[in-house]
């Protein structure tokens, strides 16, 4: 991509008098000192308290003026960059004023701080790190802790939709239902019983064991969308397939037919448990084969705990019982794959009245709790399975780690076990201290959830799309545990995730982006108000759900309709850029739709992305957050009530 020298905020060697929209400097304090009412100090106060006290007051006031009153933008506008209404909702300026995505730096453009293995420019403390009331890095207005909520969801009964809102939501929900029908029809006609659809060429592929991943993962989405005929047909077809293959990998020789523990749990087991509970909850006659299939799969997955460390599951299970590690991690295991089964195994024990699955999950949690990571609360993204060792490691809430932290909170909500709550809070406090950085011009408006390298004690401001699940998680924790500062962080992270969509040419979010502090800029690059440029590491849009997942949770917990508007923009962008004659396809480059589609519709698009987009416009009582949790793959888990501390 080339640079447009007329784009607002593009850098240059000197500041232009006719106003870049986002300058990196502050106005000198002296230039605005006369305009502030803070400087009107009564003369009798000076006489009574003395000159020294007066000077101290002036110094303090000057400092406050610098923090809060000094303009950060040189463009002329009577409207503030952000303004808060009486309910605490923040209204932001149009995103067109807030910068653009820029190209990744080319050779010779690296800053003095060095480059990591991806060619990313590593800088220390890229954004201002504000100090919270306890001295940790945190939101500038940390606030006070609240009492835990007795409900998670916003009180829509006391604040119902207007008739206009209700009609608009019906229309939008109908549109998303049409998208579900289009995607499903294409899959059924051109790919089933294969796992996924090549959505441009209309062919089926089997990257997920050949068990019909889209077929089973789409079941609860079909149910919720009211497509009951399609649901019953698909359920019968899938259960017939299970009867035939008995959870053995389809179409592959035994020496290559490994079952991946993580996929078996989150995609297949989670789907079966979800539809079992939906049928039971809504009075449908529950098909006993659903629970039978879930038990058969779980018993096969239990073989993963027969390795050298029986508290951690092996990544891969072969038909002869041989276990293997994750090849992509050079024999190590990722945090997500060894910790993302707590919800599914515990729920299966509840439904089957067999405690063995829950017991395995509990042993795993005890082992993980016994580890002593270098940073309390932040575990290695990957580590040695036998010893649990990782002397120097990277930690993040993104890929390889995300769902481990997610399940800490959700397992507490499901079971009431306060050990999970305590571990979650320790991890979130460590996140505040080590992984977060903020927009230094407008405290808290935007935040970046980066990657911390313990070897160099460096925060690397990369953020993959998967990290955008975090706003939703933090909001749940804020409601259940009374952590108000987490709500502020969630809103700031949400705005960053949405900004990555808004500032792309297609209106869709790249799979991984990185941010740069302005003092490390090189050459021509656009600005965003972090203050930083951000560029694409992986420009592909793979129909991921994390941003819309968080939008759904933030809407359901705050009632703020701006999150619905953000979601609707994403619906329109998907429909415009990703629709094919068969279904929907991932894009090669969010900045240039002409680069084409990747001919792939992952199963998570129907299982998660379309589900969350449908539910955000649904009546709030449908799948209330006071009754249901969502697994990391977007499947439903019922819980009895919010567990109090």
């Amino acid at each position: 991509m080339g640079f447009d020298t007329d784009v607002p905020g593009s850098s240059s060697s000197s500041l232009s008098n006719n106003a870049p929209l986002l300058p990196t400097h502050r106005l000198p304090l002296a230039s605005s000192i006369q305009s502030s009412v803070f400087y009107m100090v009564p003369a009798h106060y000076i006489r009574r308290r003395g000159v020294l006290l007066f000077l101290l007051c002036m110094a303090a006031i000057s400092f406050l003026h610098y923090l809060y009153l000094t303009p950060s933008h040189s463009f002329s506008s009577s409207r503030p960059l952000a303004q808060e209404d009486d309910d605490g909702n923040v209204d932001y300026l149009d995103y067109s004023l807030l910068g653009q995505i820029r190209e990744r730096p080319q050779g010779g453009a690296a800053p003095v701080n060095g480059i990591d293995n991806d060619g990313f420019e590593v800088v220390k403390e890229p954004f201002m790190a504000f100090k919270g009331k306890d001295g940790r890095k945190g939101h500038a207005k940390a606030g006070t802790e609240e009492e835990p909520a007795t409900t998670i969801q916003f009180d829509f009964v006391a604040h119902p939709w207007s008739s206009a809102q209700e009609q608009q939501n019906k229309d939008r929900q109908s549109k998303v239902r049409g998208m579900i029908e289009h995607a499903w029809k294409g899959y059924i006609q051109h790919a089933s019983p294969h796992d996924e659809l090549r959505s441009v060429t209309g062919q089926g592929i089997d990257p997920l064991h050949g068990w019909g991943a889209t077929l089973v993962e789409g079941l609860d989405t079909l149910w919720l969308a009211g497509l009951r005929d399609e649901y019953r047909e698909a359920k019968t077809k899938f259960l017939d397939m299970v009867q035939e293959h008995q959870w053995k990998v389809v179409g592959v020789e035994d020496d290559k037919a490994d079952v991946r523990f993580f996929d078996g749990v989150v995609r297949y087991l989670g789907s079966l448990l979800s539809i079992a509970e939906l049928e039971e909850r809504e009075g449908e006659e529950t098909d006993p084969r659903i629970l039978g299939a879930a038990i058969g799969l779980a018993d096969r997955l239990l073989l993963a705990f027969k390795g050298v460390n029986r508290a951690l599951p092996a990544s891969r299970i072969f038909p002869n019982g041989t276990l293997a590690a994750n090849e992509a991690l050079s024999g190590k295991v990722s945090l997500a794959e060894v910790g993302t089964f707590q919800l599914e195994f515990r729920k299966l024990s509840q439904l089957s009245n067999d405690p063995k699955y829950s017991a395995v999950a509990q042993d795993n949690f005890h082992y993980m709790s016994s580890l002593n990571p270098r940073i309390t609360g932040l575990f290695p993204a990957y580590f040695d399975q036998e010893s649990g060792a990782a002397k120097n490691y990277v930690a993040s809430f993104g890929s390889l780690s995300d769902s481990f932290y997610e399940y800490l909170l959700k397992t507490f909500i499901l079971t009431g076990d306060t050990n999970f709550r305590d571990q979650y809070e320790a991890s979130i406090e460590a996140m505040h201290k080590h992984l977060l950085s903020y927009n230094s011009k407008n405290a808290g408006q935007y935040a970046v959830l980066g990657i911390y390298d313990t070897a160099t004690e460096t925060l690397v401001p990369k953020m993959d799309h998967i990290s955008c699940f975090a706003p939703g998680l933090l909001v749940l924790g804020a409601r259940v545990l009374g952590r108000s500062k987490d709500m502020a962080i969630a809103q700031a992270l949400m705005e960053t995730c949405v900004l990555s969509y808004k500032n792309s040419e297609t209106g869709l979010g790249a799979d991984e982006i990185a941010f740069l502090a302005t003092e490390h800029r090189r050459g021509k690059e656009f600005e965003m108000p972090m203050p930083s440029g951000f560029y694409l590491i992986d420009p592909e849009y793979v129909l991921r759900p994390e941003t819309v997942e968080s939008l759904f949770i933030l809407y359901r917990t705050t009632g703020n309709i701006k999150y619905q508007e953000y979601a609707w923009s994403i619906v329109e962008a998907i429909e415009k850029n990703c629709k094919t004659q068969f279904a929907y396809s991932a894009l090669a480059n969010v900045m240039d739709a002409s680069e084409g589609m990747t001919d792939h519709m992952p199963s998570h698009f129907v299982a998660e992305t379309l589900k969350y987009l449908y539910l955000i416009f649904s009546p709030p009582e449908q799948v209330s957050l006071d009754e249901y949790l969502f697994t990391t793959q977007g499947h439903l888990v019922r819980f009895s009530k919010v567990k109090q501390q």
Side-chain angles (χ1 to χ4, degrees):
M1 157 185 164
F3 291 106
D4 182 353
T5 56
D6 294 327
V7 173
S10 60
S11 62
S12 62
S13 58
S14 62
L15 291 171
S16 169
N17 290 331
N18 45 4
L21 289 181
L22 294 171
T24 60
H25 67 294
R26 285 185 178 274
L27 294 177
L29 182 62
S31 68
S32 56
I33 195 168
Q34 300 298 326
S35 63
S36 172
V37 295
F38 283 85
Y39 297 95
M40 298 172 61
V41 182
H44 67 82
Y45 190 89
I46 300 172
R47 290 195 298 270
R48 183 179 303 173
R49 302 298 182 189
V51 174
L52 180 60
L53 182 57
F54 170 74
L55 292 176
L56 289 173
C57 289
M58 288 298 294
I61 291 169
S62 297
F63 179 70
L64 289 172
H65 187 289
Y66 177 76
L67 284 180
Y68 297 108
L69 298 181
T70 305
S72 296
H73 300 280
S74 62
F75 60 88
S76 175
S77 174
S78 60
R79 183 184 177 190
L81 183 65
Q83 51 193 9
E84 194 172 34
D85 63 22
D86 294 336
D87 296 325
N89 300 319
V90 180
D91 179 34
Y92 298 103
L93 284 183
D94 185 84
Y95 281 102
S96 64
L97 299 177
L98 299 181
Q100 304 289 333
I101 294 175
R102 64 180 180 81
E103 279 189 342
R104 182 174 179 168
Q106 301 301 311
V112 295
N113 296 54
I115 306 178
D116 71 4
N117 292 333
D118 293 329
F120 172 69
E121 305 175 48
V122 179
V123 295
K124 291 189 176 183
E125 298 295 342
F127 310 119
M128 181 177 294
F130 293 102
K131 295 287 186 178
K133 62 181 180 180
D134 55 1
R136 292 189 298 266
K137 294 177 187 177
H139 191 269
K141 299 178 181 178
T144 58
E145 297 301 294
E146 298 174 350
E147 289 298 315
T150 56
T151 60
I152 295 174
Q153 191 154 285
F154 178 76
D155 189 355
F156 288 98
V157 175
H159 305 278
W161 292 342
S162 67
S163 57
Q165 283 178 304
E166 183 175 4
Q167 185 58 52
Q168 182 182 68
N169 285 331
K170 283 182 179 179
D171 293 343
R172 290 177 172 183
Q173 186 186 51
S174 177
K175 173 63 178 178
V176 179
R177 184 187 291 110
M179 295 171 70
I180 295 170
E181 290 178 299
H182 178 65
W184 191 254
K185 181 179 178 181
Y187 166 76
I188 289 295
Q189 291 183 351
H190 300 280
S192 176
H194 295 285
D195 288 330
E196 293 177 337
L197 170 67
R198 290 199 179 280
S199 43
V200 175
T201 56
Q203 299 174 336
I205 54 175
D206 287 317
L208 298 165
H209 307 133
W211 294 342
T214 300
L215 189 65
V216 68
E217 287 212 87
L219 287 175
D220 50 11
T221 300
L222 294 174
W223 176 281
L224 295 172
L227 302 173
R228 298 301 169 87
D229 290 341
E230 292 86 343
Y231 166 81
R232 295 186 183 96
E233 179 183 342
K235 182 185 73 172
T236 299
K237 185 173 186 177
F238 178 77
L239 292 173
D240 288 345
M241 289 171 58
V242 172
Q243 186 68 28
E244 182 178 344
H245 61 61
Q246 293 294 309
W247 300 116
K248 294 181 180 179
V249 178
V250 176
V252 180
E253 297 296 327
D254 281 359
D255 61 342
K256 298 179 181 178
D258 57 304
V259 172
R260 292 184 295 279
F261 178 82
F262 181 84
D263 289 322
V265 171
V266 303
R267 297 179 188 279
Y268 295 99
L269 182 58
S271 297
L272 290 167
L273 298 176
S274 179
I275 61 174
E277 291 210 295
L278 283 172
E279 287 191 351
E280 180 184 25
R281 174 68 175 82
E282 298 193 23
E284 185 92 356
E285 183 177 350
T286 302
D287 190 330
R289 294 190 300 167
I290 296 174
L291 189 57
I295 291 171
L297 173 58
D299 286 346
R300 181 165 179 77
L301 295 174
L302 284 176
L303 295 174
F305 294 90
K306 303 296 184 182
V308 291
N309 186 339
R310 298 201 170 196
L312 299 180
S315 301
R316 302 155 63 205
I317 310 164
F318 286 88
N320 64 1
T322 301
L323 304 177
N326 191 327
E327 290 180 330
L329 296 176
S330 302
K332 293 182 171 59
V333 291
S334 74
L335 183 61
E337 64 184 331
V338 301
T340 310
F341 64 95
Q342 294 286 341
L343 287 179
E344 291 86 353
F345 272 36
R346 290 170 188 275
K347 176 54 69 172
L348 180 57
S349 279
Q350 289 180 9
L351 295 180
S352 67
N353 294 314
D354 189 338
K356 68 180 180 182
Y357 310 107
S358 183
V360 169
Q362 192 66 21
D363 288 345
N364 169 265
F365 177 71
H366 284 158
Y367 177 81
M368 294 301 297
S369 299
S370 73
L371 298 179
N372 186 27
R374 182 170 173 180
I375 299 176
T376 301
L378 284 185
F379 292 83
Y382 47 88
F383 52 91
D384 182 81
Q385 182 173 16
E386 183 173 352
S387 66
K391 182 178 180 182
N392 292 316
Y393 61 87
V394 294
S396 81
F397 271 52
S399 178
L400 304 180
S401 301
D402 55 320
S403 47
F404 171 80
Y405 299 108
E406 176 185 3
Y407 276 28
L408 293 175
L409 175 65
K410 292 181 177 180
T411 304
F412 166 66
I413 296 173
L414 177 66
T415 67
D417 185 338
T418 56
N419 292 307
F420 285 89
R421 177 204 65 195
D422 295 344
Q423 184 60 70
Y424 170 78
E425 292 199 290
S427 296
I428 297 303
E429 291 301 324
M431 180 200 75
H432 278 279
K433 185 175 182 180
H434 295 285
L435 300 183
L436 284 167
S437 45
Y438 301 85
N439 167 14
S440 62
K441 287 186 177 180
N442 298 281
Q445 182 174 325
Y446 297 97
V448 177
L449 187 57
I451 301 169
Y452 191 79
D453 186 345
T454 63
T456 60
E457 297 185 348
T458 300
L459 175 61
V460 181
K462 285 181 181 180
M463 193 167 171
D464 58 19
H465 194 288
I466 290 175
S467 300
C468 288
F469 89 99
L473 176 67
L474 289 168
V475 166
L476 288 180
R479 293 289 294 167
V480 174
L481 303 176
R483 296 176 56 89
S484 59
K485 70 177 180 181
D486 292 351
M487 179 67 81
I489 295 304
Q491 292 170 334
L493 286 171
M494 190 77 264
E495 294 299 330
T496 301
C497 293
V498 170
L499 187 64
S500 72
Y501 277 70
K502 290 279 189 176
N503 279 1
S504 78
E505 294 295 329
T506 58
L508 298 168
D511 211 44
E512 188 172 17
I513 57 179
F515 303 81
L516 279 180
T518 52
E519 59 265 29
H520 295 287
R521 293 179 304 167
R522 295 291 186 274
K524 294 180 178 179
E525 52 190 57
F526 305 130
E527 289 183 345
M528 67 179 291
M530 295 283 183
S532 158
F534 69 101
Y535 61 84
L536 308 181
I537 295 177
D538 184 350
E540 187 177 358
Y541 173 66
V542 292
L543 302 169
R544 284 201 189 276
E546 292 81 15
T547 294
V548 295
E549 171 189 358
S550 287
L551 288 173
F552 164 70
I553 295 173
L554 264 73
Y555 171 65
R556 284 290 189 89
T557 52
T558 68
N560 192 332
I561 63 172
K562 77 173 180 179
Y563 299 119
Q564 287 186 309
E565 296 305 314
Y566 290 160
W568 182 245
S569 295
I570 294 172
V571 168
E572 293 181 314
I574 292 172
E575 189 74 359
K576 177 181 178 181
N577 296 287
C578 302
K579 190 173 184 178
T580 73
Q581 70 177 105
F582 301 116
Y584 295 87
S585 173
L587 290 182
N589 189 343
V590 298
M591 292 303 292
D592 188 356
S594 69
E595 290 191 17
M597 300 176 177
T598 64
D599 194 16
H600 185 209
M601 186 178 75
S603 64
H604 63 239
F605 180 64
V606 176
E608 300 180 79
T609 307
L610 289 177
K611 180 186 289 142
Y612 290 123
L613 288 172
Y614 181 82
L615 288 175
I616 198 171
F617 302 115
S618 298
E621 62 272 16
Q622 183 178 17
V623 191
S624 169
L625 295 183
D626 293 323
E627 185 178 5
Y628 287 99
L629 296 166
F630 289 85
T631 70
T632 193
Q633 198 68 11
H635 302 302
L636 279 67
V637 173
R638 283 185 69 201
F639 63 96
S640 58
K641 63 180 180 179
V642 176
K643 307 294 183 180
Q644 296 299 323
Q645 296 191 67

